[in-house]
Amino acid sequence: MTAPMYTFVSRDDNSTVYAEISKILVSTGHWKRLKRDNPRFNLMLGERNRLPFGRLGHEPGLVQLVNYYRGADKLCRKASLVKLIKTSPELLDSCNWFPESYIIYPTNLNTPVAPATNGITHLKSNPKTDEREVFLASYHSKKESSEETVWIAKSSAGAKGDGILISHDANQLLEYIDNQGQVHVIQKYLEKPLLLEPGHRKFDIRSWVLLDHQYNIFLYREGVLRTSSEPYNSADLQDMTSHLTNHCIQKEHSQNYGRYEEGNEMFFDEFRQYLLTTHNLNLETTILPQIKQIIKNCLMCIEPAISTKHLSYQSFQLFGFDFMVDESFKVWLIEINGAPACAQKLYPELCQGIVDVAISTVFPLNSSSDSSASSSPYSSSPSFSTITTNSCSSPKLRAPLHVGPFTRL
Protein backbone atom coordinates (compact mmCIF):
# COMPACT_ATOMS: atom_id res chain seq x y z
CA MET A 1 0.00 0.00 0.00
CA THR A 2 1.06 3.63 -0.56
CA ALA A 3 2.53 5.30 2.50
CA PRO A 4 0.29 8.08 3.84
CA MET A 5 0.96 11.72 3.04
CA TYR A 6 -0.12 14.46 5.41
CA THR A 7 -0.14 18.24 5.17
CA PHE A 8 0.71 20.99 7.62
CA VAL A 9 0.83 24.76 7.81
CA SER A 10 3.18 26.83 9.95
CA ARG A 11 2.03 30.26 11.11
CA ASP A 12 4.61 31.04 13.76
CA ASP A 13 7.80 32.50 12.35
CA ASN A 14 9.27 33.15 15.81
CA SER A 15 9.09 29.72 17.46
CA THR A 16 12.39 27.88 17.31
CA VAL A 17 10.70 24.73 18.64
CA TYR A 18 8.15 24.57 15.83
CA ALA A 19 10.71 25.56 13.21
CA GLU A 20 12.65 22.45 14.21
CA ILE A 21 9.48 20.32 14.20
CA SER A 22 8.66 21.56 10.68
CA LYS A 23 12.07 20.36 9.48
CA ILE A 24 11.57 16.97 11.12
CA LEU A 25 8.15 16.51 9.52
CA VAL A 26 9.35 17.35 6.02
CA SER A 27 12.37 15.06 6.42
CA THR A 28 10.10 12.03 6.96
CA GLY A 29 8.85 12.26 3.39
CA HIS A 30 5.28 11.85 4.68
CA TRP A 31 4.50 15.50 5.34
CA LYS A 32 4.04 18.36 2.89
CA ARG A 33 4.11 21.98 3.98
CA LEU A 34 1.29 24.12 2.57
CA LYS A 35 0.99 27.88 2.30
CA ARG A 36 0.06 29.34 5.66
CA ASP A 37 -3.52 30.30 4.65
CA ASN A 38 -4.46 26.96 3.09
CA PRO A 39 -7.38 25.54 5.13
CA ARG A 40 -6.93 21.93 3.90
CA PHE A 41 -4.29 20.88 6.41
CA ASN A 42 -3.93 18.03 8.88
CA LEU A 43 -1.68 19.91 11.28
CA MET A 44 -1.43 23.58 12.16
CA LEU A 45 1.68 24.86 13.89
CA GLY A 46 0.10 28.15 14.82
CA GLU A 47 1.08 31.24 16.75
CA ARG A 48 -0.09 31.37 20.33
CA ASN A 49 -2.99 33.79 20.92
CA ARG A 50 -3.66 34.06 17.16
CA LEU A 51 -5.24 30.71 16.39
CA PRO A 52 -8.52 30.37 14.45
CA PHE A 53 -10.02 27.77 16.80
CA GLY A 54 -13.55 28.44 15.55
CA ARG A 55 -12.58 27.42 12.02
CA LEU A 56 -10.80 24.20 12.94
CA GLY A 57 -12.31 20.77 12.36
CA HIS A 58 -14.73 21.81 9.60
CA GLU A 59 -12.84 20.50 6.55
CA PRO A 60 -14.67 17.39 5.22
CA GLY A 61 -12.64 14.20 5.49
CA LEU A 62 -9.76 15.78 7.45
CA VAL A 63 -8.67 15.20 11.01
CA GLN A 64 -7.09 18.46 12.17
CA LEU A 65 -4.56 18.86 14.96
CA VAL A 66 -3.30 22.17 16.38
CA ASN A 67 -0.34 22.86 18.67
CA TYR A 68 -2.20 24.76 21.39
CA TYR A 69 -5.13 24.11 23.70
CA ARG A 70 -7.78 26.79 23.67
CA GLY A 71 -8.11 28.13 27.21
CA ALA A 72 -4.66 27.06 28.39
CA ASP A 73 -3.95 30.71 29.23
CA LYS A 74 -5.79 29.98 32.46
CA LEU A 75 -2.41 28.59 33.48
CA CYS A 76 -0.05 30.69 31.42
CA ARG A 77 -0.98 34.24 32.40
CA LYS A 78 0.15 35.07 35.89
CA ALA A 79 -3.10 36.70 37.05
CA SER A 80 -5.22 33.90 35.58
CA LEU A 81 -3.05 31.30 37.30
CA VAL A 82 -3.47 33.04 40.64
CA LYS A 83 -7.24 33.16 40.20
CA LEU A 84 -7.40 29.52 39.12
CA ILE A 85 -5.36 28.35 42.08
CA LYS A 86 -7.34 30.41 44.58
CA THR A 87 -10.79 29.44 43.30
CA SER A 88 -10.36 25.77 42.38
CA PRO A 89 -11.42 23.25 45.05
CA GLU A 90 -9.00 20.74 43.50
CA LEU A 91 -6.08 23.02 44.39
CA LEU A 92 -6.81 23.60 48.06
CA ASP A 93 -3.34 22.32 48.95
CA SER A 94 -1.70 24.97 46.75
CA CYS A 95 -0.49 26.90 49.80
CA ASN A 96 2.08 24.11 50.08
CA TRP A 97 3.56 24.73 46.63
CA PHE A 98 2.46 28.16 45.35
CA PRO A 99 3.58 31.39 47.06
CA GLU A 100 0.90 33.61 48.55
CA SER A 101 -0.27 35.82 45.67
CA TYR A 102 -2.66 38.66 44.85
CA ILE A 103 -4.02 40.10 41.61
CA ILE A 104 -3.62 43.88 41.45
CA TYR A 105 -5.17 46.14 38.80
CA PRO A 106 -3.96 49.74 38.40
CA THR A 107 -6.43 52.19 39.88
CA ASN A 108 -7.06 53.96 36.57
CA LEU A 109 -8.84 50.84 35.28
CA ASN A 110 -11.51 51.23 37.99
CA THR A 111 -11.59 47.48 38.63
CA PRO A 112 -13.87 46.35 41.50
CA VAL A 113 -11.81 46.02 44.67
CA ALA A 114 -12.30 42.92 46.81
CA PRO A 115 -12.90 43.58 50.50
CA ALA A 116 -10.09 42.73 52.90
CA THR A 117 -12.26 39.97 54.35
CA ASN A 118 -14.07 37.36 52.26
CA GLY A 119 -12.01 38.35 49.22
CA ILE A 120 -12.15 34.87 47.64
CA THR A 121 -15.92 35.08 47.28
CA HIS A 122 -15.51 38.37 45.41
CA LEU A 123 -12.79 36.81 43.24
CA LYS A 124 -15.06 33.88 42.32
CA SER A 125 -18.07 35.99 41.44
CA ASN A 126 -16.37 38.75 39.43
CA PRO A 127 -14.47 38.35 36.14
CA LYS A 128 -11.97 40.98 37.30
CA THR A 129 -11.05 41.69 40.90
CA ASP A 130 -8.43 44.00 42.40
CA GLU A 131 -7.08 42.33 45.56
CA ARG A 132 -5.09 45.27 46.91
CA GLU A 133 -7.11 45.46 50.12
CA VAL A 134 -6.67 41.72 50.75
CA PHE A 135 -2.96 42.08 50.06
CA LEU A 136 -2.62 45.04 52.44
CA ALA A 137 -4.39 43.13 55.20
CA SER A 138 -1.96 40.22 54.83
CA TYR A 139 1.02 42.55 54.53
CA HIS A 140 0.19 44.41 57.76
CA SER A 141 -0.59 41.19 59.58
CA LYS A 142 2.81 39.77 58.70
CA LYS A 143 4.55 43.00 59.63
CA GLU A 144 2.87 43.09 63.04
CA SER A 145 3.91 39.52 63.75
CA SER A 146 7.49 40.21 62.56
CA GLU A 147 7.25 37.76 59.66
CA GLU A 148 9.24 38.17 56.47
CA THR A 149 7.71 40.95 54.41
CA VAL A 150 9.50 40.96 51.07
CA TRP A 151 7.14 40.79 48.08
CA ILE A 152 7.60 40.76 44.33
CA ALA A 153 5.34 42.50 41.79
CA LYS A 154 5.25 40.91 38.33
CA SER A 155 3.39 41.98 35.23
CA SER A 156 0.75 39.38 34.37
CA ALA A 157 1.76 39.31 30.70
CA GLY A 158 5.40 40.18 31.25
CA ALA A 159 8.39 38.10 30.19
CA LYS A 160 12.19 38.21 30.29
CA GLY A 161 12.21 40.03 33.61
CA ASP A 162 10.16 43.00 32.44
CA GLY A 163 7.70 44.73 34.79
CA ILE A 164 9.19 43.40 38.04
CA LEU A 165 9.76 45.12 41.39
CA ILE A 166 10.94 43.52 44.65
CA SER A 167 10.27 45.50 47.83
CA HIS A 168 9.52 45.50 51.56
CA ASP A 169 7.15 48.45 51.05
CA ALA A 170 3.53 47.68 50.16
CA ASN A 171 2.78 51.24 49.09
CA GLN A 172 5.82 51.27 46.79
CA LEU A 173 4.62 48.06 45.15
CA LEU A 174 1.09 49.37 44.61
CA GLU A 175 2.32 52.75 43.34
CA TYR A 176 4.63 50.94 40.91
CA ILE A 177 1.71 48.92 39.52
CA ASP A 178 -0.49 52.00 39.20
CA ASN A 179 2.26 53.74 37.23
CA GLN A 180 2.78 50.71 34.99
CA GLY A 181 -0.88 50.81 33.96
CA GLN A 182 -1.37 47.04 33.58
CA VAL A 183 -2.46 44.14 35.75
CA HIS A 184 0.22 42.66 37.98
CA VAL A 185 0.54 39.89 40.51
CA ILE A 186 2.04 40.63 43.92
CA GLN A 187 3.58 37.47 45.31
CA LYS A 188 5.33 36.59 48.55
CA TYR A 189 9.04 36.54 47.76
CA LEU A 190 10.89 33.34 48.62
CA GLU A 191 13.48 34.88 50.89
CA LYS A 192 15.32 31.67 51.78
CA PRO A 193 16.01 29.89 48.49
CA LEU A 194 18.30 26.93 48.08
CA LEU A 195 21.57 28.41 46.78
CA LEU A 196 24.24 27.01 44.51
CA GLU A 197 27.88 26.91 45.56
CA PRO A 198 30.33 28.18 44.67
CA GLY A 199 29.01 31.69 44.45
CA HIS A 200 26.03 31.50 46.84
CA ARG A 201 23.69 31.92 43.86
CA LYS A 202 19.97 31.63 43.12
CA PHE A 203 18.50 29.38 40.46
CA ASP A 204 15.17 28.28 39.12
CA ILE A 205 14.21 25.06 37.33
CA ARG A 206 12.55 24.81 33.92
CA SER A 207 10.67 21.58 33.19
CA TRP A 208 9.09 20.86 29.81
CA VAL A 209 5.69 19.20 29.81
CA LEU A 210 3.83 17.84 26.78
CA LEU A 211 0.06 17.44 26.80
CA ASP A 212 -1.11 15.17 23.98
CA HIS A 213 -4.49 15.10 22.19
CA GLN A 214 -5.84 12.50 24.64
CA TYR A 215 -4.81 14.66 27.60
CA ASN A 216 -1.98 12.35 28.63
CA ILE A 217 0.64 14.38 30.52
CA PHE A 218 4.30 13.75 29.68
CA LEU A 219 7.35 15.14 31.47
CA TYR A 220 10.53 15.58 29.42
CA ARG A 221 13.40 13.68 31.03
CA GLU A 222 15.78 16.64 30.96
CA GLY A 223 15.43 19.83 32.96
CA VAL A 224 17.59 22.90 33.21
CA LEU A 225 18.56 25.21 36.05
CA ARG A 226 18.77 28.84 35.03
CA THR A 227 21.38 30.25 37.35
CA SER A 228 22.40 33.66 38.62
CA SER A 229 25.92 34.95 38.11
CA GLU A 230 25.96 37.01 41.29
CA PRO A 231 25.74 36.13 45.01
CA TYR A 232 22.26 36.22 46.53
CA ASN A 233 21.94 39.32 48.69
CA SER A 234 18.69 39.68 50.62
CA ALA A 235 19.80 43.10 51.89
CA ASP A 236 19.93 44.61 48.38
CA LEU A 237 16.61 44.18 46.61
CA GLN A 238 17.60 46.51 43.77
CA ASP A 239 20.27 44.23 42.32
CA MET A 240 18.26 42.29 39.77
CA THR A 241 21.23 40.06 38.83
CA SER A 242 21.23 38.78 42.41
CA HIS A 243 17.50 38.05 42.47
CA LEU A 244 16.32 37.25 38.93
CA THR A 245 17.72 34.34 36.92
CA ASN A 246 16.27 35.35 33.53
CA HIS A 247 18.94 34.88 30.85
CA CYS A 248 18.42 38.30 29.34
CA ILE A 249 18.98 40.05 32.69
CA GLN A 250 22.03 37.97 33.58
CA LYS A 251 23.60 38.31 30.15
CA GLU A 252 23.01 42.05 29.88
CA HIS A 253 23.79 43.18 33.41
CA SER A 254 26.20 40.71 35.03
CA GLN A 255 29.93 40.82 34.32
CA ASN A 256 30.11 37.24 35.62
CA TYR A 257 27.69 35.80 33.07
CA GLY A 258 28.88 32.29 32.13
CA ARG A 259 31.53 32.19 34.87
CA TYR A 260 30.05 29.22 36.73
CA GLU A 261 28.02 27.45 34.04
CA GLU A 262 28.12 27.88 30.29
CA GLY A 263 25.23 30.17 29.36
CA ASN A 264 24.18 30.16 33.05
CA GLU A 265 22.56 26.76 32.54
CA MET A 266 23.00 23.63 34.65
CA PHE A 267 21.38 20.45 33.37
CA PHE A 268 19.89 17.68 35.47
CA ASP A 269 22.91 15.35 35.29
CA GLU A 270 25.10 17.99 36.89
CA PHE A 271 22.40 19.05 39.35
CA ARG A 272 21.84 15.41 40.29
CA GLN A 273 25.52 15.07 41.15
CA TYR A 274 25.56 18.43 42.95
CA LEU A 275 22.65 17.45 45.23
CA LEU A 276 24.26 14.13 46.05
CA THR A 277 27.71 15.55 46.72
CA THR A 278 26.72 18.75 48.52
CA HIS A 279 23.53 17.76 50.33
CA ASN A 280 23.51 13.94 50.19
CA LEU A 281 20.12 14.09 48.46
CA ASN A 282 18.72 12.25 45.47
CA LEU A 283 17.02 14.34 42.77
CA GLU A 284 14.62 11.50 41.92
CA THR A 285 13.34 11.11 45.47
CA THR A 286 13.36 14.71 46.74
CA ILE A 287 12.80 17.31 44.01
CA LEU A 288 11.25 15.46 41.07
CA PRO A 289 8.27 13.89 42.94
CA GLN A 290 7.20 17.38 44.04
CA ILE A 291 7.59 18.75 40.51
CA LYS A 292 5.53 15.90 39.04
CA GLN A 293 2.70 16.32 41.53
CA ILE A 294 2.43 20.06 40.97
CA ILE A 295 2.33 19.59 37.19
CA LYS A 296 -0.44 16.99 37.49
CA ASN A 297 -2.43 19.15 39.89
CA CYS A 298 -2.40 22.13 37.56
CA LEU A 299 -3.16 20.35 34.28
CA MET A 300 -5.83 18.02 35.65
CA CYS A 301 -7.60 20.99 37.22
CA ILE A 302 -8.30 22.57 33.83
CA GLU A 303 -8.96 19.40 31.82
CA PRO A 304 -12.78 19.80 31.82
CA ALA A 305 -12.41 23.35 30.48
CA ILE A 306 -9.87 22.81 27.70
CA SER A 307 -9.93 19.16 26.60
CA THR A 308 -10.60 18.68 22.87
CA LYS A 309 -11.62 15.05 23.26
CA HIS A 310 -15.21 15.77 22.20
CA LEU A 311 -14.49 18.52 19.68
CA SER A 312 -14.17 18.33 15.91
CA TYR A 313 -10.43 18.99 16.08
CA GLN A 314 -7.65 17.93 18.43
CA SER A 315 -4.91 19.76 20.31
CA PHE A 316 -1.55 19.18 21.90
CA GLN A 317 0.70 21.66 23.68
CA LEU A 318 4.17 22.04 25.10
CA PHE A 319 4.41 23.88 28.42
CA GLY A 320 7.36 25.23 30.38
CA PHE A 321 6.85 24.93 34.15
CA ASP A 322 9.18 27.09 36.25
CA PHE A 323 10.00 26.16 39.84
CA MET A 324 12.12 27.31 42.73
CA VAL A 325 13.47 25.26 45.63
CA ASP A 326 13.80 26.70 49.12
CA GLU A 327 16.48 25.91 51.68
CA SER A 328 14.30 23.11 53.07
CA PHE A 329 14.21 21.49 49.60
CA LYS A 330 10.58 22.35 49.17
CA VAL A 331 9.53 22.98 45.56
CA TRP A 332 7.46 26.06 44.66
CA LEU A 333 5.70 26.73 41.37
CA ILE A 334 6.61 30.19 40.07
CA GLU A 335 4.86 30.37 36.69
CA ILE A 336 3.91 28.41 33.58
CA ASN A 337 4.89 29.31 30.02
CA GLY A 338 2.57 28.25 27.22
CA ALA A 339 5.10 28.68 24.39
CA PRO A 340 8.48 27.80 25.87
CA ALA A 341 11.82 27.81 24.11
CA CYS A 342 14.48 25.37 25.22
CA ALA A 343 18.23 25.05 25.59
CA GLN A 344 19.98 24.79 22.24
CA LYS A 345 21.44 21.33 22.81
CA LEU A 346 18.02 19.88 23.67
CA TYR A 347 16.21 20.87 20.48
CA PRO A 348 16.85 17.71 18.43
CA GLU A 349 15.71 15.27 21.11
CA LEU A 350 12.85 17.35 22.50
CA CYS A 351 11.38 18.18 19.10
CA GLN A 352 11.68 14.61 17.80
CA GLY A 353 9.93 13.50 21.00
CA ILE A 354 7.08 15.95 20.38
CA VAL A 355 6.67 14.56 16.85
CA ASP A 356 6.65 10.97 18.11
CA VAL A 357 4.33 11.52 21.07
CA ALA A 358 1.94 14.25 19.93
CA ILE A 359 1.85 14.13 16.13
CA SER A 360 2.71 10.63 14.84
CA THR A 361 0.20 9.07 17.23
CA VAL A 362 -2.55 10.96 15.43
CA PHE A 363 -1.03 10.65 11.96
CA PRO A 364 0.88 7.35 11.79
CA LEU A 365 3.47 7.05 9.07
CA ASN A 366 2.88 3.36 8.33
CA SER A 367 1.21 2.30 5.11
CA SER A 368 -1.24 -0.19 6.61
CA SER A 369 -3.63 0.13 9.49
CA ASP A 370 -2.28 -3.02 11.15
CA SER A 371 1.32 -1.83 11.14
CA SER A 372 0.36 1.67 12.30
CA ALA A 373 -1.48 0.21 15.24
CA SER A 374 1.47 -1.93 16.24
CA SER A 375 4.00 0.88 15.91
CA SER A 376 1.97 3.55 17.66
CA PRO A 377 3.04 4.33 21.25
CA TYR A 378 -0.69 3.89 22.03
CA SER A 379 -0.94 0.48 20.39
CA SER A 380 -3.08 -0.82 23.26
CA SER A 381 -6.03 0.57 21.34
CA PRO A 382 -6.49 -0.95 17.87
CA SER A 383 -8.97 1.77 16.97
CA PHE A 384 -6.14 4.29 17.05
CA SER A 385 -4.69 2.95 13.82
CA THR A 386 -7.53 4.34 11.73
CA ILE A 387 -7.89 8.09 11.48
CA THR A 388 -11.51 9.19 11.35
CA THR A 389 -13.10 12.56 11.75
CA ASN A 390 -14.92 11.45 14.88
CA SER A 391 -11.85 9.95 16.54
CA CYS A 392 -11.77 12.97 18.85
CA SER A 393 -14.70 11.65 20.84
CA SER A 394 -13.13 8.22 21.48
CA PRO A 395 -12.39 7.22 25.10
CA LYS A 396 -9.11 8.47 26.52
CA LEU A 397 -6.24 6.18 25.52
CA ARG A 398 -3.66 5.43 28.20
CA ALA A 399 -0.18 6.03 26.86
CA PRO A 400 2.82 3.90 27.88
CA LEU A 401 4.80 5.06 30.89
CA HIS A 402 7.84 5.93 28.76
CA VAL A 403 7.80 7.22 25.18
CA GLY A 404 11.17 8.35 23.87
CA PRO A 405 12.51 11.10 26.16
CA PHE A 406 9.13 11.58 27.87
CA THR A 407 7.62 9.96 30.96
CA ARG A 408 3.85 9.88 31.40
CA LEU A 409 2.68 11.28 34.72
Side-chain angles (χ1 to χ4, degrees):
M1 296 179 63
T2 304
M5 177 63 76
Y6 305 112
T7 58
F8 75 98
V9 295
S10 179
R11 295 187 174 184
D12 189 348
D13 298 326
N14 298 313
S15 171
T16 47
V17 169
Y18 290 111
E20 180 70 20
I21 287 175
S22 296
K23 294 177 185 176
I24 293 172
L25 292 176
V26 171
S27 71
T28 67
H30 295 284
W31 284 89
K32 178 182 178 182
R33 182 169 180 169
L34 304 177
K35 292 182 179 179
R36 58 186 292 141
D37 294 325
N38 192 323
R40 296 286 298 170
F41 57 82
N42 295 114
L43 169 68
M44 173 183 284
L45 302 177
E47 186 177 1
R48 184 185 173 205
N49 301 325
R50 298 184 66 182
L51 287 160
F53 287 108
R55 299 203 300 271
L56 296 177
H58 300 300
E59 291 295 320
L62 282 182
V63 170
Q64 293 191 317
L65 177 68
V66 65
N67 60 327
Y68 290 99
Y69 271 90
R70 187 176 197 173
D73 274 354
K74 292 176 185 291
L75 292 177
C76 303
R77 290 190 179 274
K78 298 178 186 69
S80 299
L81 177 62
V82 170
K83 182 170 183 176
L84 179 75
I85 285 176
K86 284 187 168 187
T87 59
S88 299
E90 305 94 326
L91 300 179
L92 287 176
D93 69 336
S94 63
C95 59
N96 296 316
W97 48 264
F98 190 68
E100 181 181 345
S101 304
Y102 300 95
I103 304 168
I104 310 294
Y105 284 83
T107 50
N108 66 334
L109 296 183
N110 297 316
T111 307
V113 178
T117 57
N118 205 25
I120 295 297
T121 301
H122 194 279
L123 192 63
K124 287 180 179 179
S125 57
N126 291 274
K128 294 182 178 180
T129 297
D130 183 355
E131 295 188 286
R132 65 181 60 220
E133 295 298 330
V134 192
F135 160 63
L136 286 170
S138 175
Y139 172 86
H140 291 303
S141 174
K142 284 178 169 54
K143 199 167 185 180
E144 289 170 6
S145 57
S146 300
E147 293 182 47
E148 298 165 339
T149 57
V150 179
W151 299 78
I152 181 169
K154 302 185 287 187
S155 170
S156 180
K160 301 180 179 180
D162 293 335
I164 290 179
L165 176 69
I166 304 169
S167 177
H168 290 278
D169 188 333
N171 290 327
Q172 183 186 21
L173 290 161
L174 293 174
E175 183 178 338
Y176 172 78
I177 294 171
D178 287 341
N179 290 336
Q180 291 286 304
Q182 54 185 282
V183 62
H184 278 60
V185 164
I186 289 183
Q187 194 169 69
K188 188 70 191 68
Y189 191 61
L190 297 180
E191 297 181 51
K192 296 179 180 178
L194 181 64
L195 299 174
L196 290 174
E197 304 296 346
H200 206 61
R201 299 168 295 122
K202 278 187 69 173
F203 67 91
D204 66 10
I205 299 175
R206 160 62 60 85
S207 291
W208 290 275
V209 179
L210 181 61
L211 194 59
D212 76 358
H213 74 291
Q214 285 284 340
Y215 220 86
N216 291 299
I217 304 168
F218 294 90
L219 177 63
Y220 182 51
R221 67 172 184 84
E222 185 62 271
V224 65
L225 278 63
R226 298 176 297 190
T227 63
S228 171
S229 310
E230 305 295 338
Y232 176 65
N233 183 2
S234 58
D236 182 4
L237 301 180
Q238 308 304 312
D239 182 3
M240 291 293 102
T241 59
S242 168
H243 294 275
L244 301 181
T245 58
N246 307 69
H247 283 321
C248 52
I249 288 178
Q250 293 294 323
K251 190 172 184 177
E252 185 175 343
H253 299 289
S254 173
Q255 294 182 349
N256 289 319
Y257 179 77
R259 173 183 175 185
Y260 299 98
E261 298 87 23
E262 184 180 354
N264 280 37
E265 292 179 330
M266 178 188 289
F267 294 90
F268 269 6
D269 281 347
E270 187 178 349
F271 185 46
R272 190 176 284 111
Q273 188 60 44
Y274 175 84
L275 285 176
L276 198 59
T277 304
T278 309
H279 300 287
N280 196 29
L281 290 176
N282 187 301
L283 176 67
E284 276 69 26
T285 57
T286 55
I287 307 298
L288 281 181
Q290 297 180 70
I291 284 176
K292 291 176 180 179
Q293 191 58 53
I294 293 169
I295 290 168
K296 285 181 67 175
N297 288 347
C298 291
L299 288 173
M300 295 309 296
C301 175
I302 64 168
E303 180 179 9
I306 74 169
S307 174
T308 56
K309 193 164 56 175
H310 301 294
L311 298 181
S312 57
Y313 68 92
Q314 303 178 40
S315 291
F316 72 92
Q317 187 163 348
L318 181 70
F319 295 90
F321 278 70
D322 294 339
F323 302 96
M324 284 188 61
V325 183
D326 67 21
E327 63 180 10
S328 301
F329 304 99
K330 189 178 183 62
V331 174
W332 297 86
L333 174 66
I334 301 303
E335 59 187 61
I336 304 171
N337 190 310
C342 80
Q344 194 66 37
K345 77 172 191 176
L346 302 180
Y347 274 104
E349 183 184 69
L350 176 66
C351 294
Q352 183 64 59
I354 293 171
V355 171
D356 293 342
V357 172
I359 298 175
S360 294
T361 50
V362 181
F363 304 108
L365 302 185
N366 308 77
S367 59
S368 70
S369 60
D370 289 341
S371 62
S372 64
S374 63
S375 66
S376 166
Y378 301 175
S379 57
S380 58
S381 171
S383 65
F384 202 87
S385 62
T386 304
I387 303 176
T388 61
T389 52
N390 60 7
S391 62
C392 312
S393 59
S394 60
K396 180 175 180 176
L397 307 181
R398 195 66 165 161
L401 184 59
H402 299 286
V403 183
F406 288 95
T407 299
R408 175 176 49 79
L409 303 187

